[in-house]
Amino acid sequence: MSRNKLDYLDDLEAEAIYILREVAGQFEKPALLFSGGKDSITLVRLAEKAFRPGKFPFPLVHIDTGHNFPETITYRDEMVKRIGEKLIVGYVQDSIDQGKVVEQKGKNASRNALQTVTLLDTIAEHQFDACIGGARRDEEKARAKERIFSVRDEFGQWDPKRQRPELWNIYNGKIHKGENVRVFPISNWTELDVWNYIRRENIALPSIYFAHEREVITRNGQLMAAAPALNIDADDVVERKNVRFRTVGDMTCTAAVESYAFEIDDIISEISESKISERGARMDDKVSEAAMEDRKKGGYF
């Protein structure tokens, strides 16, 4: 194909495929962290383009809090069956039962922060030396300063001062025993890029990304899905609203936005006009000014 027929999505796609192949070439036991969200779903499509007709050179890994949206779990299981790849699931409930983490109490309790221990245990159990994820620089300021190949120490911790140069798209995956690398093939994409790519590739998504009527409560100024995991009490008013979710995570920390965007074109128009990033609907990012960076330093993805 001549250069003048390529658009910017082709450039982003080519970069991501190159990074995925670099991971396959440089690491012995990589994994693709799969959340059931649009970014990790996009990574699966990119992996298909990078490695088909062969099998993926890595399994999919999902850290299940037990408080995931049912639509996401249904999508995950159906997708894994369709593509015929291996899925490894780490359960936060197992970490709780083993006494490795203590479940939060109170009205705003969440299992989101507990995922870190389950993730690190899953990495250690399977000896993964690289974990691929769908984080993007436009999501949050801590992610904006992280490299595409992000080295983590033997405790899974990220040191923002210990990052490697990535000049001319040369990625250094050399690590010491016990360390691992988190890899972000779509780091340079934006939320709008992802949606444009999903439209172009006709990628199916969990239904919660599209406007639907749902029971919600307003908590801390955000619309939250009315689910038992939210510890709903008499002070909470349950309403039915037309909403959709811009990001997918634990139900206890992922807020919805009111929306009538039922189709992808409607979503793209809605995002184009929005002045709030998709992570603006994540309660876990509002704990402190440096909430995401603190979690990364502790081993969070």
Side-chain angles (χ1 to χ4, degrees), residues 12 16 20 32-48 56 60-61 72 75 79 132-140 143 183-198 203-206 209 245-249 271 277-279 282 292 300-301:
L12 290 174
L20 288 170
L32 192 157
L33 297 188
F34 184 80
S35 68
K38 67 183 187 312
D39 300 310
S40 58
I41 291 169
T42 296
L43 284 179
V44 170
R45 172 57 58 87
L46 291 164
E48 288 180 308
F56 292 178
L60 307 185
V61 175
T72 305
Y75 180 95
M79 187 206 72
I132 305 161
R136 308 186 322 270
R137 288 192 174 113
D138 77 318
E139 292 181 271
E140 202 273 340
R143 286 180 168 171
V183 181
F184 308 110
I186 61 172
S187 184
N188 291 328
W189 298 37
T190 66
E191 180 186 13
L192 198 55
D193 294 335
V194 173
W195 278 104
N196 280 324
Y197 189 76
I198 288 168
I203 301 173
L205 294 175
Y209 276 111
F245 293 84
R246 289 177 68 184
T247 179
V248 171
I271 294 170
S277 77
E278 61 191 291
R279 297 287 305 192
R282 291 293 294 267
M292 174 63 78
Y300 185 79
F301 191 75

Side-chain angles (χ1 to χ4, degrees), residues 148-164:
I148 290 175
F149 272 34
S150 179
V151 178
R152 304 299 176 95
D153 66 20
E154 63 271 25
F155 302 106
Q157 298 174 328
W158 175 60
D159 182 356
K161 295 180 180 179
R162 183 175 168 249
Q163 299 198 78
R164 298 170 176 177

Side-chain angles (χ1 to χ4, degrees), residues 6-21 42 45-47 49-50 185-186 189 197 200-201 203:
L6 295 174
D7 68 13
Y8 82 101
L9 290 176
D10 293 307
D11 290 335
L12 290 174
E13 178 188 78
E15 178 189 51
I17 289 173
Y18 167 68
I19 292 166
L20 288 170
R21 289 172 175 167
T42 296
R45 172 57 58 87
L46 291 164
K49 291 197 173 190
I186 61 172
W189 298 37
Y197 189 76
R200 190 185 83 170
E201 297 292 312
I203 301 173

Side-chain angles (χ1 to χ4, degrees), residues 30-95:
L32 192 157
L33 297 188
F34 184 80
S35 68
K38 67 183 187 312
D39 300 310
S40 58
I41 291 169
T42 296
L43 284 179
V44 170
R45 172 57 58 87
L46 291 164
E48 288 180 308
K49 291 197 173 190
F51 303 112
R52 291 294 189 241
K55 301 281 287 184
F56 292 178
F58 40 67
L60 307 185
V61 175
H62 181 218
I63 304 303
D64 188 345
T65 67
H67 294 161
N68 297 94
F69 289 92
E71 297 95 326
T72 305
I73 300 300
T74 298
Y75 180 95
R76 179 199 71 186
D77 294 341
E78 291 176 351
M79 187 206 72
V80 168
K81 183 178 180 180
R82 174 178 57 81
I83 66 175
E85 297 293 342
K86 181 180 180 180
L87 172 69
I88 295 171
V89 181
Y91 296 96
V92 171
Q93 185 62 54
D94 289 345
S95 299

